[in-house]
Amino acid sequence: MAVRKNQATLTATEKRNFVNAVLALKKNGRYDEFVRTHNEFIMSDSDSGDRVGHRSPSFLPWHRRFLLQFEQELQRIDSSVTLPYWDWTADRTTTASIFGADFLGGTGRSRDSQVTTGPFAYSTGQWNINVSVDSRPFLQRELGAGVRALPTRAEVDSVLAMATYDMAPWNSSSNGFRNNLEGWRGVNLHNRVHVWIGGQMASGVSPNDPVFWLHHCFIDKLWADWQRLHPTSTYLPAAGTANVVDLNDTMRPWNNVTPADMLDHTKFYTYDS
Amino acid sequence: MSKTVTRRFVLRGTAVAVAGAALAGVAGIATAETGAKPMDHSGHGDHAGHGPQAFDETYKGRRIVGAPATGGHQAHHGGFAVTIDGKELHVMQNADGTWISVVNHYQTFADPLALTRAAVDKLQGAVLVPIATA
């Protein structure tokens, strides 16, 4: 069984293997397909129309499936690789080791926000931005510029304490665990981290930044943590709801997987804590 | 999802795909919509008369234009279309009346003007490009 680990605990070899597998996917073109898919859902998911990947109950199972597919692609390159998660409540500074030159690289330079350190710097020739909303071909970050601070452990715990998975109207105005975790309401967890990173991470093409996968892996872990805290709480809505994915509806773009299929992550992997 | 919802999704998927190929501006998107059957836009945010204020100004050297849109996926996403130097900025209205764009997707703004200025700030002089929807 694959074990997903906290990125702060990875060995130098584990970091290198992860980075090399990501670079290989970029080189063979598969990486950019994930960026394109994500942006297509960002642009079509709406509060008043159909919504699958974001601002809806299936935000969590959709991203679980999306990450699984990405992880499987990495494992075709290197079977030892699993997705690491980034606990941003603990590793919360712009100089944390996750942003080291031996892993994801650091913040962008002031002139154009271009990332110039680490394996995803444009100058390496290995990381051109091909699926973009603008003409810039390089990875950008503005760590800590868009929002004052990353969420705290106390803020995470306050959201994990919410017993109801999601509520009508099942969109960005909902109360409940899902929307408070996604961040359209309340203390704002997931959305805030995207803004804190800045650059492509703040946009619809956020998976251009490899930190996307480590951030969403932590969001995925928080969902699993919530399930453990609330064993009698279930995914909602159950059935017959307009515009959103009910428990046993299939999710685009796969059309063969339901939220129910995604509820138990231990069929696929476990977390180290 | 119900069957009616699925049908509507198919229609909108068509509109989005066509609009993606014709991002010449508001007029082009309105034209692209004509191939689809009429869609139900009720309850899809503000409409002309009480929607956000139109604007046409130069901000940090960029010409930013925002105006109500009557067709295409803008109508679906809040009835407003925005361009920066003539290139479409994809915008969307949230259920609570705030706005997001594809450039600042995870952060809400009070109105399209504030959203567009924020996009200009983030672009740092770069030009918006339509995203290939292959």
PDB file of all heavy atoms in Angstrom, chain A residues 46-51 243, chain B residues 8 12 39-47 72-80 93-95 99:
ATOM      1  N   SER A  46     -20.006  26.771 -12.053  1.00  0.00           N
ATOM      2  CA  SER A  46     -20.593  28.041 -11.617  1.00  0.00           C
ATOM      3  C   SER A  46     -21.645  27.816 -10.549  1.00  0.00           C
ATOM      4  O   SER A  46     -22.278  26.759 -10.485  1.00  0.00           O
ATOM      5  CB  SER A  46     -21.198  28.799 -12.800  1.00  0.00           C
ATOM      6  OG  SER A  46     -22.453  28.270 -13.144  1.00  0.00           O
ATOM      7  N   ASP A  47     -21.834  28.840  -9.725  1.00  0.00           N
ATOM      8  CA  ASP A  47     -22.762  28.726  -8.594  1.00  0.00           C
ATOM      9  C   ASP A  47     -24.195  28.476  -9.027  1.00  0.00           C
ATOM     10  O   ASP A  47     -24.994  27.940  -8.266  1.00  0.00           O
ATOM     11  CB  ASP A  47     -22.714  30.014  -7.758  1.00  0.00           C
ATOM     12  CG  ASP A  47     -21.536  30.024  -6.806  1.00  0.00           C
ATOM     13  OD1 ASP A  47     -21.019  28.951  -6.484  1.00  0.00           O
ATOM     14  OD2 ASP A  47     -21.126  31.128  -6.392  1.00  0.00           O
ATOM     15  N   SER A  48     -24.540  28.924 -10.240  1.00  0.00           N
ATOM     16  CA  SER A  48     -25.931  28.817 -10.670  1.00  0.00           C
ATOM     17  C   SER A  48     -26.131  27.756 -11.749  1.00  0.00           C
ATOM     18  O   SER A  48     -27.253  27.497 -12.164  1.00  0.00           O
ATOM     19  CB  SER A  48     -26.408  30.178 -11.191  1.00  0.00           C
ATOM     20  OG  SER A  48     -25.518  30.647 -12.179  1.00  0.00           O
ATOM     21  N   GLY A  49     -25.041  27.150 -12.224  1.00  0.00           N
ATOM     22  CA  GLY A  49     -25.146  26.106 -13.237  1.00  0.00           C
ATOM     23  C   GLY A  49     -24.466  24.833 -12.766  1.00  0.00           C
ATOM     24  O   GLY A  49     -24.226  24.644 -11.568  1.00  0.00           O
ATOM     25  N   ASP A  50     -24.138  23.967 -13.683  1.00  0.00           N
ATOM     26  CA  ASP A  50     -23.462  22.729 -13.309  1.00  0.00           C
ATOM     27  C   ASP A  50     -22.111  23.027 -12.690  1.00  0.00           C
ATOM     28  O   ASP A  50     -21.391  23.917 -13.124  1.00  0.00           O
ATOM     29  CB  ASP A  50     -23.275  21.845 -14.551  1.00  0.00           C
ATOM     30  CG  ASP A  50     -24.600  21.299 -15.048  1.00  0.00           C
ATOM     31  OD1 ASP A  50     -25.383  20.823 -14.220  1.00  0.00           O
ATOM     32  OD2 ASP A  50     -24.844  21.381 -16.262  1.00  0.00           O
ATOM     33  N   ARG A  51     -21.780  22.270 -11.663  1.00  0.00           N
ATOM     34  CA  ARG A  51     -20.507  22.474 -10.967  1.00  0.00           C
ATOM     35  C   ARG A  51     -20.023  21.132 -10.439  1.00  0.00           C
ATOM     36  O   ARG A  51     -20.776  20.404  -9.790  1.00  0.00           O
ATOM     37  CB  ARG A  51     -20.654  23.512  -9.855  1.00  0.00           C
ATOM     38  CG  ARG A  51     -21.883  23.334  -8.970  1.00  0.00           C
ATOM     39  CD  ARG A  51     -22.182  24.606  -8.165  1.00  0.00           C
ATOM     40  NE  ARG A  51     -23.303  24.437  -7.249  1.00  0.00           N
ATOM     41  CZ  ARG A  51     -24.580  24.597  -7.594  1.00  0.00           C
ATOM     42  NH1 ARG A  51     -24.901  24.937  -8.825  1.00  0.00           N
ATOM     43  NH2 ARG A  51     -25.536  24.423  -6.700  1.00  0.00           N
ATOM     44  N   ASN A 243     -27.951  20.329 -10.702  1.00  0.00           N
ATOM     45  CA  ASN A 243     -26.669  20.995 -10.999  1.00  0.00           C
ATOM     46  C   ASN A 243     -25.439  20.476 -10.261  1.00  0.00           C
ATOM     47  O   ASN A 243     -24.325  20.883 -10.567  1.00  0.00           O
ATOM     48  CB  ASN A 243     -26.746  22.507 -10.740  1.00  0.00           C
ATOM     49  CG  ASN A 243     -27.670  23.207 -11.705  1.00  0.00           C
ATOM     50  OD1 ASN A 243     -27.929  22.716 -12.797  1.00  0.00           O
ATOM     51  ND2 ASN A 243     -28.165  24.370 -11.311  1.00  0.00           N
TER      52      ASN A 243
ATOM     53  N   ARG B   8     -28.958  20.516 -20.174  1.00  0.00           N
ATOM     54  CA  ARG B   8     -28.478  21.894 -20.147  1.00  0.00           C
ATOM     55  C   ARG B   8     -26.957  21.938 -20.151  1.00  0.00           C
ATOM     56  O   ARG B   8     -26.350  22.796 -20.739  1.00  0.00           O
ATOM     57  CB  ARG B   8     -29.025  22.614 -18.914  1.00  0.00           C
ATOM     58  CG  ARG B   8     -29.680  23.921 -19.294  1.00  0.00           C
ATOM     59  CD  ARG B   8     -30.236  24.615 -18.085  1.00  0.00           C
ATOM     60  NE  ARG B   8     -29.209  24.948 -17.132  1.00  0.00           N
ATOM     61  CZ  ARG B   8     -29.464  25.208 -15.865  1.00  0.00           C
ATOM     62  NH1 ARG B   8     -30.688  25.170 -15.414  1.00  0.00           N
ATOM     63  NH2 ARG B   8     -28.494  25.511 -15.060  1.00  0.00           N
ATOM     64  N   ARG B  12     -24.535  24.003 -22.684  1.00  0.00           N
ATOM     65  CA  ARG B  12     -23.562  24.988 -22.244  1.00  0.00           C
ATOM     66  C   ARG B  12     -22.153  24.568 -22.642  1.00  0.00           C
ATOM     67  O   ARG B  12     -21.323  25.370 -22.991  1.00  0.00           O
ATOM     68  CB  ARG B  12     -23.630  25.206 -20.736  1.00  0.00           C
ATOM     69  CG  ARG B  12     -23.037  26.556 -20.391  1.00  0.00           C
ATOM     70  CD  ARG B  12     -22.960  26.759 -18.910  1.00  0.00           C
ATOM     71  NE  ARG B  12     -22.021  25.843 -18.343  1.00  0.00           N
ATOM     72  CZ  ARG B  12     -22.035  25.495 -17.080  1.00  0.00           C
ATOM     73  NH1 ARG B  12     -22.946  25.953 -16.287  1.00  0.00           N
ATOM     74  NH2 ARG B  12     -21.137  24.656 -16.625  1.00  0.00           N
ATOM     75  N   MET B  39     -31.177  29.281 -23.833  1.00  0.00           N
ATOM     76  CA  MET B  39     -30.932  28.687 -22.526  1.00  0.00           C
ATOM     77  C   MET B  39     -31.706  29.461 -21.472  1.00  0.00           C
ATOM     78  O   MET B  39     -31.998  30.635 -21.623  1.00  0.00           O
ATOM     79  CB  MET B  39     -29.444  28.746 -22.181  1.00  0.00           C
ATOM     80  CG  MET B  39     -28.597  27.828 -23.041  1.00  0.00           C
ATOM     81  SD  MET B  39     -26.940  27.632 -22.369  1.00  0.00           S
ATOM     82  CE  MET B  39     -26.293  29.273 -22.517  1.00  0.00           C
ATOM     83  N   ASP B  40     -32.015  28.780 -20.410  1.00  0.00           N
ATOM     84  CA  ASP B  40     -32.699  29.414 -19.287  1.00  0.00           C
ATOM     85  C   ASP B  40     -31.682  30.172 -18.447  1.00  0.00           C
ATOM     86  O   ASP B  40     -30.826  29.574 -17.807  1.00  0.00           O
ATOM     87  CB  ASP B  40     -33.374  28.331 -18.449  1.00  0.00           C
ATOM     88  CG  ASP B  40     -34.002  28.917 -17.196  1.00  0.00           C
ATOM     89  OD1 ASP B  40     -34.168  30.155 -17.150  1.00  0.00           O
ATOM     90  OD2 ASP B  40     -34.319  28.138 -16.294  1.00  0.00           O
ATOM     91  N   HIS B  41     -31.778  31.492 -18.466  1.00  0.00           N
ATOM     92  CA  HIS B  41     -30.836  32.296 -17.689  1.00  0.00           C
ATOM     93  C   HIS B  41     -31.454  32.840 -16.404  1.00  0.00           C
ATOM     94  O   HIS B  41     -30.881  33.688 -15.757  1.00  0.00           O
ATOM     95  CB  HIS B  41     -30.307  33.464 -18.536  1.00  0.00           C
ATOM     96  CG  HIS B  41     -29.346  32.997 -19.594  1.00  0.00           C
ATOM     97  ND1 HIS B  41     -29.257  33.586 -20.823  1.00  0.00           N
ATOM     98  CD2 HIS B  41     -28.457  31.982 -19.613  1.00  0.00           C
ATOM     99  CE1 HIS B  41     -28.353  32.958 -21.561  1.00  0.00           C
ATOM    100  NE2 HIS B  41     -27.858  31.977 -20.849  1.00  0.00           N
ATOM    101  N   SER B  42     -32.626  32.374 -16.082  1.00  0.00           N
ATOM    102  CA  SER B  42     -33.270  32.888 -14.871  1.00  0.00           C
ATOM    103  C   SER B  42     -32.452  32.499 -13.646  1.00  0.00           C
ATOM    104  O   SER B  42     -31.912  31.399 -13.566  1.00  0.00           O
ATOM    105  CB  SER B  42     -34.681  32.322 -14.761  1.00  0.00           C
ATOM    106  OG  SER B  42     -34.636  30.915 -14.704  1.00  0.00           O
ATOM    107  N   GLY B  43     -32.366  33.394 -12.720  1.00  0.00           N
ATOM    108  CA  GLY B  43     -31.642  33.102 -11.493  1.00  0.00           C
ATOM    109  C   GLY B  43     -30.144  33.050 -11.666  1.00  0.00           C
ATOM    110  O   GLY B  43     -29.427  32.557 -10.810  1.00  0.00           O
ATOM    111  N   HIS B  44     -29.642  33.591 -12.751  1.00  0.00           N
ATOM    112  CA  HIS B  44     -28.209  33.542 -12.990  1.00  0.00           C
ATOM    113  C   HIS B  44     -27.552  34.891 -12.742  1.00  0.00           C
ATOM    114  O   HIS B  44     -26.825  35.410 -13.572  1.00  0.00           O
ATOM    115  CB  HIS B  44     -27.921  33.057 -14.416  1.00  0.00           C
ATOM    116  CG  HIS B  44     -28.223  31.611 -14.595  1.00  0.00           C
ATOM    117  ND1 HIS B  44     -28.087  30.957 -15.779  1.00  0.00           N
ATOM    118  CD2 HIS B  44     -28.645  30.685 -13.712  1.00  0.00           C
ATOM    119  CE1 HIS B  44     -28.435  29.694 -15.631  1.00  0.00           C
ATOM    120  NE2 HIS B  44     -28.769  29.508 -14.385  1.00  0.00           N
ATOM    121  N   GLY B  45     -27.882  35.483 -11.617  1.00  0.00           N
ATOM    122  CA  GLY B  45     -27.212  36.730 -11.243  1.00  0.00           C
ATOM    123  C   GLY B  45     -27.902  37.942 -11.814  1.00  0.00           C
ATOM    124  O   GLY B  45     -28.991  37.870 -12.373  1.00  0.00           O
ATOM    125  N   ASP B  46     -27.243  39.064 -11.681  1.00  0.00           N
ATOM    126  CA  ASP B  46     -27.822  40.335 -12.085  1.00  0.00           C
ATOM    127  C   ASP B  46     -27.969  40.437 -13.593  1.00  0.00           C
ATOM    128  O   ASP B  46     -27.165  39.931 -14.348  1.00  0.00           O
ATOM    129  CB  ASP B  46     -26.946  41.488 -11.594  1.00  0.00           C
ATOM    130  CG  ASP B  46     -27.006  41.604 -10.086  1.00  0.00           C
ATOM    131  OD1 ASP B  46     -28.060  41.274  -9.527  1.00  0.00           O
ATOM    132  OD2 ASP B  46     -25.989  42.013  -9.496  1.00  0.00           O
ATOM    133  N   HIS B  47     -29.021  41.123 -13.998  1.00  0.00           N
ATOM    134  CA  HIS B  47     -29.215  41.374 -15.417  1.00  0.00           C
ATOM    135  C   HIS B  47     -29.275  42.878 -15.659  1.00  0.00           C
ATOM    136  O   HIS B  47     -29.235  43.665 -14.723  1.00  0.00           O
ATOM    137  CB  HIS B  47     -30.492  40.674 -15.901  1.00  0.00           C
ATOM    138  CG  HIS B  47     -30.303  39.196 -16.066  1.00  0.00           C
ATOM    139  ND1 HIS B  47     -30.156  38.573 -17.267  1.00  0.00           N
ATOM    140  CD2 HIS B  47     -30.174  38.218 -15.133  1.00  0.00           C
ATOM    141  CE1 HIS B  47     -29.978  37.280 -17.089  1.00  0.00           C
ATOM    142  NE2 HIS B  47     -29.982  37.038 -15.801  1.00  0.00           N
ATOM    143  N   GLY B  72     -23.964  34.284 -24.794  1.00  0.00           N
ATOM    144  CA  GLY B  72     -22.748  33.536 -24.520  1.00  0.00           C
ATOM    145  C   GLY B  72     -22.621  33.166 -23.056  1.00  0.00           C
ATOM    146  O   GLY B  72     -23.535  33.341 -22.272  1.00  0.00           O
ATOM    147  N   HIS B  73     -21.470  32.644 -22.707  1.00  0.00           N
ATOM    148  CA  HIS B  73     -21.321  32.132 -21.349  1.00  0.00           C
ATOM    149  C   HIS B  73     -21.153  33.244 -20.339  1.00  0.00           C
ATOM    150  O   HIS B  73     -21.327  33.033 -19.156  1.00  0.00           O
ATOM    151  CB  HIS B  73     -20.199  31.099 -21.277  1.00  0.00           C
ATOM    152  CG  HIS B  73     -18.829  31.640 -21.495  1.00  0.00           C
ATOM    153  ND1 HIS B  73     -17.739  31.137 -20.845  1.00  0.00           N
ATOM    154  CD2 HIS B  73     -18.384  32.628 -22.273  1.00  0.00           C
ATOM    155  CE1 HIS B  73     -16.662  31.800 -21.236  1.00  0.00           C
ATOM    156  NE2 HIS B  73     -17.030  32.688 -22.088  1.00  0.00           N
ATOM    157  N   GLN B  74     -20.843  34.494 -20.796  1.00  0.00           N
ATOM    158  CA  GLN B  74     -20.828  35.601 -19.843  1.00  0.00           C
ATOM    159  C   GLN B  74     -22.197  35.788 -19.219  1.00  0.00           C
ATOM    160  O   GLN B  74     -22.324  36.053 -18.035  1.00  0.00           O
ATOM    161  CB  GLN B  74     -20.411  36.920 -20.505  1.00  0.00           C
ATOM    162  CG  GLN B  74     -18.938  37.044 -20.761  1.00  0.00           C
ATOM    163  CD  GLN B  74     -18.548  36.411 -22.066  1.00  0.00           C
ATOM    164  OE1 GLN B  74     -19.386  35.871 -22.768  1.00  0.00           O
ATOM    165  NE2 GLN B  74     -17.285  36.467 -22.396  1.00  0.00           N
ATOM    166  N   ALA B  75     -23.243  35.683 -20.083  1.00  0.00           N
ATOM    167  CA  ALA B  75     -24.594  35.856 -19.560  1.00  0.00           C
ATOM    168  C   ALA B  75     -24.863  34.815 -18.484  1.00  0.00           C
ATOM    169  O   ALA B  75     -25.484  35.087 -17.464  1.00  0.00           O
ATOM    170  CB  ALA B  75     -25.608  35.734 -20.693  1.00  0.00           C
ATOM    171  N   HIS B  76     -24.349  33.625 -18.722  1.00  0.00           N
ATOM    172  CA  HIS B  76     -24.537  32.565 -17.747  1.00  0.00           C
ATOM    173  C   HIS B  76     -23.781  32.862 -16.459  1.00  0.00           C
ATOM    174  O   HIS B  76     -24.223  32.543 -15.369  1.00  0.00           O
ATOM    175  CB  HIS B  76     -24.048  31.247 -18.343  1.00  0.00           C
ATOM    176  CG  HIS B  76     -24.502  30.068 -17.568  1.00  0.00           C
ATOM    177  ND1 HIS B  76     -25.675  29.423 -17.823  1.00  0.00           N
ATOM    178  CD2 HIS B  76     -23.950  29.441 -16.499  1.00  0.00           C
ATOM    179  CE1 HIS B  76     -25.822  28.439 -16.963  1.00  0.00           C
ATOM    180  NE2 HIS B  76     -24.792  28.419 -16.158  1.00  0.00           N
ATOM    181  N   HIS B  77     -22.625  33.487 -16.580  1.00  0.00           N
ATOM    182  CA  HIS B  77     -21.761  33.678 -15.428  1.00  0.00           C
ATOM    183  C   HIS B  77     -21.938  35.037 -14.778  1.00  0.00           C
ATOM    184  O   HIS B  77     -21.067  35.486 -14.071  1.00  0.00           O
ATOM    185  CB  HIS B  77     -20.295  33.481 -15.837  1.00  0.00           C
ATOM    186  CG  HIS B  77     -19.952  32.039 -16.106  1.00  0.00           C
ATOM    187  ND1 HIS B  77     -20.594  30.997 -15.480  1.00  0.00           N
ATOM    188  CD2 HIS B  77     -19.035  31.470 -16.911  1.00  0.00           C
ATOM    189  CE1 HIS B  77     -20.080  29.840 -15.905  1.00  0.00           C
ATOM    190  NE2 HIS B  77     -19.147  30.106 -16.779  1.00  0.00           N
ATOM    191  N   GLY B  78     -23.025  35.726 -15.026  1.00  0.00           N
ATOM    192  CA  GLY B  78     -23.275  36.978 -14.322  1.00  0.00           C
ATOM    193  C   GLY B  78     -23.613  38.133 -15.240  1.00  0.00           C
ATOM    194  O   GLY B  78     -23.855  39.240 -14.788  1.00  0.00           O
ATOM    195  N   GLY B  79     -23.630  37.887 -16.533  1.00  0.00           N
ATOM    196  CA  GLY B  79     -24.113  38.899 -17.459  1.00  0.00           C
ATOM    197  C   GLY B  79     -23.168  40.061 -17.675  1.00  0.00           C
ATOM    198  O   GLY B  79     -23.612  41.174 -17.954  1.00  0.00           O
ATOM    199  N   PHE B  80     -21.870  39.837 -17.571  1.00  0.00           N
ATOM    200  CA  PHE B  80     -20.928  40.934 -17.720  1.00  0.00           C
ATOM    201  C   PHE B  80     -19.682  40.409 -18.434  1.00  0.00           C
ATOM    202  O   PHE B  80     -19.231  39.303 -18.167  1.00  0.00           O
ATOM    203  CB  PHE B  80     -20.548  41.465 -16.330  1.00  0.00           C
ATOM    204  CG  PHE B  80     -20.104  42.895 -16.331  1.00  0.00           C
ATOM    205  CD1 PHE B  80     -21.031  43.926 -16.323  1.00  0.00           C
ATOM    206  CD2 PHE B  80     -18.747  43.213 -16.339  1.00  0.00           C
ATOM    207  CE1 PHE B  80     -20.628  45.250 -16.321  1.00  0.00           C
ATOM    208  CE2 PHE B  80     -18.328  44.526 -16.343  1.00  0.00           C
ATOM    209  CZ  PHE B  80     -19.272  45.553 -16.327  1.00  0.00           C
ATOM    210  N   GLN B  93     -19.609  35.690 -11.731  1.00  0.00           N
ATOM    211  CA  GLN B  93     -20.190  36.205 -10.497  1.00  0.00           C
ATOM    212  C   GLN B  93     -20.500  35.064  -9.539  1.00  0.00           C
ATOM    213  O   GLN B  93     -21.020  34.025  -9.934  1.00  0.00           O
ATOM    214  CB  GLN B  93     -21.465  36.991 -10.789  1.00  0.00           C
ATOM    215  CG  GLN B  93     -21.989  37.732  -9.559  1.00  0.00           C
ATOM    216  CD  GLN B  93     -23.134  38.662  -9.883  1.00  0.00           C
ATOM    217  OE1 GLN B  93     -23.890  38.427 -10.823  1.00  0.00           O
ATOM    218  NE2 GLN B  93     -23.262  39.729  -9.115  1.00  0.00           N
ATOM    219  N   ASN B  94     -20.180  35.286  -8.266  1.00  0.00           N
ATOM    220  CA  ASN B  94     -20.485  34.293  -7.239  1.00  0.00           C
ATOM    221  C   ASN B  94     -21.912  34.476  -6.723  1.00  0.00           C
ATOM    222  O   ASN B  94     -22.528  35.526  -6.923  1.00  0.00           O
ATOM    223  CB  ASN B  94     -19.499  34.427  -6.071  1.00  0.00           C
ATOM    224  CG  ASN B  94     -18.077  34.181  -6.501  1.00  0.00           C
ATOM    225  OD1 ASN B  94     -17.779  33.195  -7.160  1.00  0.00           O
ATOM    226  ND2 ASN B  94     -17.191  35.109  -6.152  1.00  0.00           N
ATOM    227  N   ALA B  95     -22.389  33.465  -6.026  1.00  0.00           N
ATOM    228  CA  ALA B  95     -23.766  33.495  -5.511  1.00  0.00           C
ATOM    229  C   ALA B  95     -24.000  34.687  -4.579  1.00  0.00           C
ATOM    230  O   ALA B  95     -25.109  35.201  -4.500  1.00  0.00           O
ATOM    231  CB  ALA B  95     -24.067  32.184  -4.784  1.00  0.00           C
ATOM    232  N   TRP B  99     -17.251  38.820  -7.301  1.00  0.00           N
ATOM    233  CA  TRP B  99     -16.748  38.412  -8.617  1.00  0.00           C
ATOM    234  C   TRP B  99     -15.372  37.769  -8.512  1.00  0.00           C
ATOM    235  O   TRP B  99     -14.578  38.110  -7.635  1.00  0.00           O
ATOM    236  CB  TRP B  99     -16.654  39.646  -9.533  1.00  0.00           C
ATOM    237  CG  TRP B  99     -18.005  40.210  -9.865  1.00  0.00           C
ATOM    238  CD1 TRP B  99     -18.774  40.990  -9.050  1.00  0.00           C
ATOM    239  CD2 TRP B  99     -18.759  40.003 -11.071  1.00  0.00           C
ATOM    240  NE1 TRP B  99     -19.967  41.278  -9.690  1.00  0.00           N
ATOM    241  CE2 TRP B  99     -19.977  40.699 -10.917  1.00  0.00           C
ATOM    242  CE3 TRP B  99     -18.506  39.306 -12.263  1.00  0.00           C
ATOM    243  CZ2 TRP B  99     -20.957  40.706 -11.921  1.00  0.00           C
ATOM    244  CZ3 TRP B  99     -19.464  39.321 -13.256  1.00  0.00           C
ATOM    245  CH2 TRP B  99     -20.678  40.012 -13.090  1.00  0.00           C
TER     246      TRP B  99
END
